[in-house]
Amino acid sequence: MKDRRPLVVGNWKMHLDGAGAERLAGEIRDGLPPGASVDVGVCPPFPYLCRVSPVLKGSAVALGAQDGHWEQQGPFTGWVSMAMLVDVGCSSVIIGHSERRQFGRETDDEIGRKVRAGLDQGLGVILCVGETGPERDAGVTEAIVARQLSGALEGLASRGIRGLVVAYEPVWAIGTGKTATPALAQEAHQFIRQWILGRLGSDVAQQVRILYGGSVKPDNMRALAEMPDIDGALVGGASLQASGFLDIVRQAAAGKG
Ligand code: 13P
């Protein structure tokens, strides 16, 4: 759809140090093509949000976090609330990343609470879904993605969902160098949009941006972005170098051009 602006977000995961995070943010800010028809964001580790925030303030690069708790405050040792993220300058948050589902044992129910808490705070929520390799081999990709979507988005119809973004990240493609082919990714994205159409209506389905994530590189971004239901990318490893990340941003814009 022509009126969905492409979005490219760098997920820095647990990488970099404070100085490196500041430098990378500054390089991305300064290297963005002027007037680019693409939205761009970066998600540094929690301790560096306060350092990166002033670097990006007033720029076209949005600051995001990699997770957030559903409660606003309270006895939750080690957690960070959505209100705190807003307070330090974040405008978006990643929720339900497969690394948190897998290593943090996050459930669909917890992810749903986080999605609602993020949206309630006015954050753009990037909800991650995707199947593992064995699940794809077993032919249950759509059932898995549908379960993840319903766990996270059930009961959302009455709430403001303007800030919702979905990222389709097949687990077998994350950090492996094995990217989903554009056709395979398009199939999953189309399924996600149809699911949203059925549950949340056509306005939401037309407007929600669905990003692809999993070994996105400058040389595969364009073909992915040319697919009608792929609205950009959530980039891990290739977002840690400004030049490559900026190249991905340009290719995303070109693919939608
Ligand atoms: P890679 O781009 O390193 O495969 O990571 C993708 C990802 O998990 C983004 O959230």
Side-chain angles (χ1 to χ4, degrees):
M1 277 281 294
K2 279 271 173 282
D3 52 3
R4 281 196 302 270
R5 216 172 130 82
L7 169 65
V8 177
V9 177
N11 175 7
W12 294 356
K13 305 193 179 184
M14 199 170 73
H15 291 292
L16 301 165
D17 57 16
E22 263 182 31
R23 192 167 50 242
L24 179 56
E27 287 170 1
I28 292 169
R29 175 199 62 198
D30 296 341
L32 262 196
S37 54
V38 48
D39 291 333
V40 177
V42 295
C43 301
F46 284 138
Y48 305 140
L49 289 173
C50 283
R51 285 186 71 162
V52 170
S53 187
V55 176
L56 298 181
K57 198 165 188 211
S59 80
V61 183
L63 181 67
Q66 298 174 21
D67 190 30
H69 196 267
W70 55 85
E71 294 290 346
Q72 286 210 31
Q73 52 180 285
F76 298 101
T77 303
W79 292 86
V80 171
S81 76
M82 303 292 178
M84 291 170 183
L85 299 180
V86 172
D87 197 26
V88 298
C90 289
S91 56
S92 63
V93 61
I94 297 171
I95 298 294
H97 192 280
S98 62
E99 287 150 14
R100 297 210 56 86
R101 292 178 190 265
Q102 190 182 350
F103 306 123
R105 303 252 184 279
E106 283 191 13
T107 65
D108 289 320
D109 176 61
E110 288 168 338
I111 290 165
R113 290 193 215 186
K114 291 178 175 188
V115 168
R116 292 191 288 277
L119 293 174
D120 283 350
Q121 286 294 325
L123 289 166
V125 168
I126 304 171
L127 167 69
C128 299
V129 298
E131 80 288 0
T132 63
E135 287 164 347
R136 173 155 288 274
D137 293 343
V140 294
T141 295
E142 292 189 352
I144 294 294
V145 170
R147 192 209 74 215
Q148 293 169 334
L149 288 170
S150 91
L153 303 181
E154 216 63 80
L156 213 58
S158 58
R159 292 170 186 259
I161 44 172
R162 258 192 35 237
L164 180 70
V165 171
V166 177
Y168 170 64
E169 299 208 306
V171 179
W172 49 268
I174 294 176
T176 58
K178 270 200 264 172
T179 320
T181 61
L184 186 147
Q186 164 59 24
E187 199 175 73
H189 282 228
Q190 192 175 14
F191 172 77
I192 291 167
R193 203 177 298 285
Q194 285 298 324
W195 188 96
I196 291 172
L197 176 72
R199 300 297 179 96
L200 299 169
S202 66
D203 283 355
V204 181
Q206 286 308 322
Q207 159 232 300
V208 71
R209 289 184 286 191
I210 307 177
L211 311 182
Y212 169 78
S215 299
V216 170
K217 303 275 183 303
D219 62 4
N220 57 32
M221 180 74 258
R222 184 171 179 151
L224 287 160
E226 282 171 352
M227 296 291 119
D229 288 299
I230 300 182
D231 304 310
L234 183 55
V235 187
S239 72
L240 297 171
Q241 297 283 340
S243 60
F245 183 67
L246 289 165
D247 216 2
I248 290 172
V249 170
R250 280 188 289 271
Q251 295 303 328
K256 289 292 169 209

